[in-house]
Amino acid sequence: MRIIFAGGGTGGHLIAGISAAEEIRMRFHNAEIMFCGTEKKFEEEYVVQQGFQFQKIHAKKWERSFKGIFVFLRMAILGVIESLFLQRKFKPDIVVGLGGYASFAPIIAAKLLCIPSVLLEQNVVPGKANLFLARWADEVCCHWRSSLKWFAKARKVNVTGTPIRKGIVSGRKKNYYEKFGFDSAKYTIVVTGGSQGAQAINEVMVKSLHKLEPFSEKIQIIHCAGEHGYECVKKGYGQTKINSFVCSFLNEMDAALNIADIVICRAGATTIAEITAIGIPAILIPYPYAADNHQYWNAVEVEKNGGGYLLPQIDLTPEKIVEVIIDLFRNKEKYERMKMFSKEMGRPDASVCVVDTISRLISYRETRVALLAR
């Protein structure tokens, strides 16, 4: 079995792909897996670190200007040519699009070479690349039932959920608390702005600390601040009595989420997939400049289903953050209800469902080729 995962641009796309790839590697030990992505350094580093091959493909985000369209088309043509040569050499049984502009060329090349393809869509409102490619792909795997209406021109659409890292659903363990120097009797708050951090979240949390300090005997905080915000956030926590673990980036996010009682975060699709798989009430602060405002619509879906709060960045204040945190900890019935609704949205089996789809399409292709050869 040979499989190409194509896409990138954000950590969320890559995590979904890596999670599906690990499920494939667990089931099919001899599978050959390659990732195609952009020239962003973190993509290659992360993929290679997980033990997979990586190949850069020419790709450029669509920008609404004459020059932007010209550059996009030129890079897309180069990317398709590169992908055609790569796929003829690698001979994949299937190409899996992870979303984003980097998935465009490999999926088009797969269509030209009559290789089956699948798209993974993690957001409520699909991205432009997946909306365009859906008519060419054999199947679309999406996370939200609300996304189905957007794929009217797709051949087939399944609601599988978004593949997540295996360690996310491992359950609470005593050594997870010890890893962070925490007390299992206290409430744990996890704050994260994603792999790059979020300045707005960092600033408001630091300003909130003096209001949370009276509760220092009851709460503890893990704060992933990002590389640029680390020093300022670390200094802020150092001036309070609140037990905290501050880092620029956390490799053990699965451990942090498994001891979390509340998560304060952006509304990226993979982040939401992970916190709902466990069932953690969340305070979601969508990134206001995300493409097509997709984080906002992700957060709307979570709030609508009772699994968390939507707090737009424009309304983000220390008073509001503290008010929501204290309300959740004091109102046990409300907290447990939100926890239950969050878990009901989760799809911890998403990796299995996606790989089942991939395996089925490969088997169908092999059967069809065998029949034509008779």
Side-chain angles (χ1 to χ4, degrees):
M1 182 184 287
R2 291 188 179 91
I3 299 171
I4 287 178
F5 285 89
T10 68
H13 288 140
L14 276 183
I15 288 172
I18 291 289
S19 302
E22 287 177 342
E23 176 69 21
I24 290 168
R25 190 161 56 181
M26 189 174 72
R27 285 201 217 177
F28 310 100
H29 302 299
N30 295 323
E32 291 186 45
I33 298 170
M34 177 181 286
F35 279 76
C36 295
T38 72
E39 59 186 12
K40 291 183 177 179
K41 189 177 178 182
F42 82 89
E43 290 187 26
E44 184 171 5
E45 287 178 351
Y46 184 66
V47 170
V48 172
Q49 188 180 15
Q50 305 305 313
F52 299 106
Q53 302 177 61
F54 184 86
Q55 180 67 48
K56 294 176 187 175
I57 295 291
H58 277 89
K60 182 70 176 176
K61 191 181 290 186
W62 179 286
E63 294 179 6
R64 293 185 179 182
S65 66
F66 179 77
K67 182 182 177 182
I69 294 169
F70 175 77
V71 171
F72 172 81
L73 290 173
R74 182 169 66 85
M75 296 290 273
I77 291 168
L78 280 172
V80 170
I81 293 170
E82 284 178 329
S83 298
L84 286 169
F85 278 105
L86 176 66
Q87 291 177 27
R88 285 180 69 89
K89 182 180 179 181
F90 188 71
K91 294 182 171 58
D93 295 297
I94 196 166
V95 177
V96 182
L98 302 176
Y101 57 93
S103 63
F104 180 84
I107 295 294
I108 294 297
K111 181 67 177 177
L112 294 173
L113 295 173
C114 299
I115 298 169
S117 60
V118 177
L119 301 178
L120 304 188
E121 180 53 63
Q122 301 101 334
N123 294 297
V124 174
V125 178
K128 290 185 179 69
N130 274 355
L131 282 174
F132 178 82
L133 294 170
R135 70 194 74 188
W136 309 108
D138 292 86
E139 207 155 322
V140 178
C141 294
C142 60
H143 184 86
W144 304 96
R145 193 160 295 278
S146 306
S147 303
L148 295 176
K149 64 185 177 184
W150 295 91
F151 289 113
K153 295 182 180 180
R155 293 185 185 182
K156 187 175 181 181
V157 187
N158 279 331
V159 181
T160 59
T162 296
I164 59 174
R165 292 168 281 197
K166 290 247 176 246
I168 294 295
V169 289
S170 63
R172 297 202 175 205
K173 297 178 181 177
K174 185 180 178 182
N175 66 314
Y176 287 168
Y177 287 97
E178 294 172 352
K179 184 187 294 286
F180 300 107
F182 279 6
D183 182 350
S184 60
K186 289 185 178 182
Y187 291 112
T188 303
I189 302 169
V190 172
V191 183
T192 174
S195 57
Q196 305 300 310
Q199 185 178 351
I201 295 176
N202 289 344
E203 288 177 357
V204 82
M205 280 304 299
V206 169
K207 291 176 183 176
S208 302
L209 293 177
H210 73 281
K211 295 178 181 295
L212 290 170
E213 195 158 17
F215 305 94
S216 60
E217 296 299 316
K218 296 181 179 180
I219 66 171
Q220 52 204 0
I221 303 175
I222 297 171
H223 192 134
C224 304
E227 185 180 347
H228 299 295
Y230 172 75
E231 292 298 335
C232 181
V233 172
K234 181 73 174 176
K235 182 180 177 182
Y237 279 92
Q239 294 172 353
T240 73
K241 296 177 183 177
I242 298 171
N243 190 16
S244 62
F245 181 92
V246 180
C247 58
S248 57
F249 179 79
L250 185 62
N251 285 318
E252 301 89 358
M253 184 56 76
D254 54 344
L257 290 180
N258 271 291
I259 64 171
D261 294 291
I262 292 178
V263 177
I264 300 171
C265 60
R266 291 300 194 191
T270 302
T271 299
I272 289 176
E274 292 185 340
I275 62 180
T276 55
I278 303 172
I280 314 170
I283 302 171
L284 299 169
I285 305 159
Y287 179 57
Y289 308 109
D292 304 313
N293 206 16
H294 68 262
Q295 287 202 9
Y296 172 80
W297 296 110
N298 292 344
V300 165
E301 196 71 17
V302 174
E303 185 176 63
K304 184 174 73 177
N305 285 281
Y309 288 96
L310 163 58
L311 183 54
Q313 187 164 303
I314 195 170
D315 299 326
L316 184 60
T317 63
E319 291 76 18
K320 189 63 179 176
I321 281 281
V322 173
E323 177 190 330
V324 175
I325 291 171
I326 301 307
D327 179 54
L328 279 175
F329 286 146
R330 283 180 173 169
N331 193 333
K332 194 67 176 175
E333 184 180 338
K334 183 178 183 179
Y335 175 82
E336 290 299 331
R337 190 167 61 247
M338 191 172 283
K339 191 175 178 180
M340 178 185 70
F341 288 142
S342 175
K343 190 144 188 150
E344 284 179 357
M345 281 185 284
R347 291 297 302 265
D349 62 339
S351 295
V352 173
C353 294
V354 167
V355 174
D356 284 346
T357 299
I358 291 169
S359 302
R360 174 168 47 77
L361 285 170
I362 292 174
S363 297
Y364 175 72
R365 183 199 188 206
E366 290 174 348
T367 302
R368 188 171 57 180
V369 169
L371 288 172
L372 290 172
R374 287 184 177 181

